[in-house]
Amino acid sequence: MDQLMIAETTALIARDFGLEGHETPLTEEELLTLVANEVAYMIEHRLDFLLSLLYRLDVLEPDINFALSSYCTEPANQALAKLIVDRQKRRILSKRKYKQTKPKDPGDLAW
């Protein structure tokens, strides 16, 4: 993942999770660790909020169910963190792909 993608992903996740003070560039591994720690806290103390957040982030329910099941080989917080980061990366790629350019002159708008 390139630095710009990491920075954009970090900004989205920081906004969604209410994290402050993460202006310094992170590596993908550091970002996953940060999200996994937040998810672990939410699993213990704010599970309803976490599930609501996953829904709003459009993380697929079957993926969430698998991450929380005994079949998943990773701890739940790490599996969910990967799902969150992957979803946010796909969101950024989609925004880039379908980015609309703004007209330079308001007179260019056809009514």
Side-chain angles (χ1 to χ4, degrees):
M1 183 164 34
D2 64 20
Q3 283 301 102
L4 181 58
M5 176 71 85
I6 293 172
E8 290 180 43
T9 305
T10 302
L12 280 176
I13 291 172
R15 185 196 68 204
D16 294 329
F17 280 81
L19 304 173
E20 299 296 327
H22 292 286
E23 291 81 22
T24 58
L26 300 174
T27 65
E28 186 171 5
E29 185 178 316
E30 291 170 333
L31 179 59
L32 281 170
T33 301
L34 176 69
V35 175
N37 290 340
E38 287 297 315
V39 169
Y41 174 81
M42 289 182 180
I43 288 172
E44 290 291 323
H45 302 284
R46 301 178 70 191
L47 185 59
D48 289 339
F49 177 76
L50 174 62
L51 295 175
S52 172
L53 182 60
L54 291 168
Y55 176 78
R56 284 187 290 134
L57 294 176
D58 200 26
V59 177
L60 297 176
E61 188 174 351
D63 295 341
I64 296 168
N65 290 338
F66 180 77
L68 295 175
S69 76
S70 60
Y71 297 112
C72 186
T73 59
E74 296 178 294
N77 65 318
Q78 292 176 0
L80 290 173
K82 285 182 182 179
L83 292 174
I84 291 166
V85 171
D86 288 343
R87 175 63 187 117
Q88 295 302 73
K89 287 192 294 189
R90 287 195 320 270
R91 182 176 171 197
I92 291 166
L93 291 173
S94 177
K95 281 184 176 184
R96 286 181 184 175
K97 183 176 181 179
Y98 297 106
K99 184 176 183 179
Q100 296 180 354
T101 57
K102 295 181 183 178
K104 294 180 182 178
D105 181 21
D108 292 342
L109 295 175
W111 293 95

